[in-house]
Amino acid sequence: MPDFDLAVIGAGAAGLSVAAVAAQLGASVVLIERGRMGGDCLNTGCVPSKALLAAGHAARAVREAARYGVIADQPAVDWDRVRSHVQGVIASLAPIDSEPRFRALGATVLRGEARFIDPATLSVDGRAITARRFVIAAGSRAAVPPIEGLDGIPYWTNDSLFDLSEKPAHLLILGGGPIGLEMADAFGGLGCRVSVIEAGRIAVKEDAELAGGLRQELAARGVVFREGITVTGVAPGPVLLLADGTRIAGSHLLVAVGRTPNLTALDLAAANVQAGPAGIATDRGLRSVTNKRVYAVGDIADPAGLGPRAFTHVGSYHAGVVIRRLLFRLPARVDYAALARVTYTDPELAQVGLTEAEAVAKGMEVQVLRWPLADNDRAVAERSTAGLVKLVVSRKRIVGAGILSPHAGEMISQWTLAIAQRTKLSALAGLIVPYPTRSEAAKRAAGSFFAARLFSARTKMLVRLLSRLP
């Protein structure tokens, strides 16, 4: 008989979600982790980055308080206390992901390196473990590009950034994706000079119009962007050597060019598990295409060639799919049509569904609805009017939504539900939204679809005719 019903490799967000539910439902579960419980999200990703962003936004709020008639001195940033704040946030959340909690739930927790011996057996630091099913949730790590000279100088990734012992004087950020942009905003808010170098355009996966608005806001605060240019080398300093012959010198270098799945240590070949640069190849039910005992969840999964989605909420979503399939034998499958994502700058950039360009590329007939925050009373009252709500409509239904606004991540959920449930645009336009809120901008954008028809000559004639009735 196998030792366990389920072996979960990796105690990050995805693996913890699988293990917690399976153990509470009575399955015998072993949870294996070689590093820190909580994985990247708790220790080096979502949690510390948002804590650092909060500090940066607080410092900037002090600098900008005069616009409300509040006079304050320039903020003094105590770097040691900023670091203490970040580590304190991690410590306050760590018990949720801790060994004692998971043992209390009924799981066996093993600390060590897991690798496959054969398709049905793991070795954890020399101990053989058998299980009926395996869930690989080993996550990902920061990708490091093969740039000449990079391996000869100190540089940081998100794995090490939050251990910085001093505040950078001039932070060079290689990469203009979510991590690079969030850290540009955080460190800029804390008083650092920041330069972002991106080979393409920043926020390349997001709507170009909204990304342009974010660029404008961050640049107005002093972040320097160099887009569409390649870094050809790195010299001590650090100094970035660019393809156009220019050199950019800084005090610290953050490499934020993407993620790569943690595949090497697992010895997947011994388990007959197919994998590639994007992760473990699975079907839409997250089951390995070559070993039916094995499932993959989180950053390491590449379901049906859709590619990885390196978001904590995707890991939790994957866990739900696997639990339904493994424990309840239901035909659950991943569907990313209504998968929201957020870049947590200020303003935040939130997106769900198709961007305008993606919808057009699919050959869809679309209408784009916009509502600027400059026309939103709450934004005006807060003197924070940069931003836009942008809806992509096809056949009177929302197929995509993008929001550039403070708290956009809180505003995007209604559009996630609208896309998932194929809600009619008329229902969204008819929502009663509290006043004054930024959510009114989204309602106004939806309502603008019907404005031309409502105020047409034909409607006016109908109103005149109806007014004559007794």
Side-chain angles (χ1 to χ4, degrees):
M1 293 291 290
D3 300 320
F4 297 94
D5 294 325
L6 184 63
V8 180
I9 305 171
L16 291 174
S17 297
V18 172
V21 176
Q24 290 178 91
L25 288 174
S28 60
V29 178
V30 59
L31 175 63
I32 306 158
E33 174 55 55
R34 66 180 180 181
R36 288 180 285 183
M37 296 287 289
D40 178 77
C41 178
L42 174 65
N43 298 291
T44 62
C46 311
V47 171
S49 65
K50 303 313 168 281
L52 191 68
L53 276 164
H57 293 165
R60 185 165 62 83
V62 174
R63 293 190 197 97
E64 298 178 353
R67 62 180 173 172
Y68 304 114
V70 178
I71 309 304
D73 293 332
Q74 284 295 309
V77 175
D78 184 325
W79 189 251
D80 288 338
R81 293 180 68 176
V82 170
R83 290 182 62 201
S84 178
H85 152 67
V86 173
Q87 295 305 317
V89 171
I90 294 172
S92 68
L93 296 176
I96 301 171
D97 298 342
S98 67
E99 289 183 51
R101 175 173 180 258
F102 277 80
R103 289 197 177 102
L105 292 176
T108 298
V109 180
L110 299 180
R111 306 306 298 272
E113 186 89 74
R115 66 178 183 86
F116 282 95
I117 299 174
D118 58 48
T121 312
L122 284 173
S123 171
V124 181
D125 288 349
R127 174 183 172 180
I129 301 292
T130 59
R132 288 187 172 83
R133 297 289 185 269
F134 300 86
V135 174
I136 303 176
S140 64
R141 64 188 183 278
V144 179
I147 299 174
E148 183 178 354
L150 182 60
D151 57 355
I153 69 162
Y155 65 87
W156 280 260
T157 67
N158 74 290
D159 293 333
S160 55
L161 182 66
F162 303 105
D163 294 326
L164 273 175
S165 60
E166 71 283 331
K167 187 177 78 169
H170 183 186
L171 180 63
L172 306 178
I173 300 178
L174 187 57
I179 295 174
L181 293 174
E182 289 179 6
M183 292 302 94
D185 190 23
F187 280 92
L190 291 168
C192 306
R193 291 178 59 200
V194 177
S195 297
V196 177
I197 300 88
E198 167 57 53
R201 74 161 172 87
I202 66 165
V204 69
K205 295 182 180 180
E206 314 306 336
D207 180 88
E209 182 179 3
L210 300 178
L214 178 57
R215 180 196 301 110
Q216 183 176 349
E217 283 299 298
L218 295 180
R221 296 179 208 148
V223 177
V224 175
F225 290 100
R226 292 295 304 273
E227 297 177 81
I229 193 162
T230 304
V231 176
T232 58
V234 183
V239 178
L240 298 183
L241 313 176
L242 305 186
D244 63 0
T246 59
R247 300 160 64 94
I248 302 179
S251 64
H252 296 73
L253 173 61
L254 170 62
V255 177
V257 296
R259 310 287 297 173
T260 188
N262 291 322
L263 299 170
T264 307
L266 294 167
D267 197 0
L268 295 176
N272 189 32
V273 173
Q274 180 182 324
I280 294 172
T282 75
D283 58 21
R284 283 185 177 260
L286 299 169
R287 192 179 199 178
S288 165
V289 296
T290 51
N291 183 342
K292 302 307 180 184
R293 289 176 177 267
V294 173
Y295 290 75
V297 294
D299 294 7
I300 206 168
D302 180 18
L306 295 173
R309 299 291 195 276
F311 306 116
T312 295
H313 52 288
V314 171
S316 300
Y317 170 58
H318 282 179
V321 170
V322 167
I323 288 295
R324 291 196 295 275
R325 293 201 65 184
L326 283 180
L327 300 186
F328 297 101
R329 306 303 171 99
L330 296 172
R333 292 158 44 96
V334 298
D335 183 356
Y336 293 149
L339 172 61
R341 56 190 184 269
V342 184
T343 300
Y344 293 93
T345 47
D346 184 17
E348 294 177 354
L349 200 170
Q351 196 93 45
V352 65
L354 300 174
T355 65
E356 179 184 3
E358 289 169 340
V360 171
K362 285 179 173 288
M364 302 172 68
E365 293 186 11
V366 300
Q367 183 174 345
V368 177
L369 309 176
R370 296 176 176 85
W371 198 270
L373 289 184
D375 292 336
N376 175 263
D377 291 1
R378 178 65 176 270
V380 172
E382 295 178 344
R383 295 191 179 277
S384 179
T385 57
L388 176 74
V389 174
K390 184 173 182 179
L391 306 179
V392 182
V393 178
S394 180
R395 298 183 179 180
K396 297 186 180 181
R397 296 187 188 274
I398 300 289
V399 296
I403 304 174
L404 180 65
S405 169
H407 311 296
E410 313 294 339
M411 297 166 61
I412 200 67
S413 294
Q414 72 181 72
W415 303 103
T416 302
L417 181 63
I419 293 172
Q421 299 297 319
R422 295 180 53 81
T423 305
K424 291 182 178 180
L425 192 60
S426 57
L428 296 166
L431 281 175
I432 301 174
V433 179
Y435 173 91
T437 60
R438 291 176 181 267
S439 293
E440 284 184 289
K443 169 186 166 66
R444 292 292 188 93
S448 68
F449 180 86
F450 303 98
R453 182 183 301 175
L454 177 63
F455 299 111
S456 67
R458 182 177 181 180
T459 305
K460 290 177 182 178
M461 186 186 337
L462 176 61
V463 170
R464 285 196 297 270
L465 290 172
L466 292 174
S467 67
R468 298 174 183 174
L469 295 176

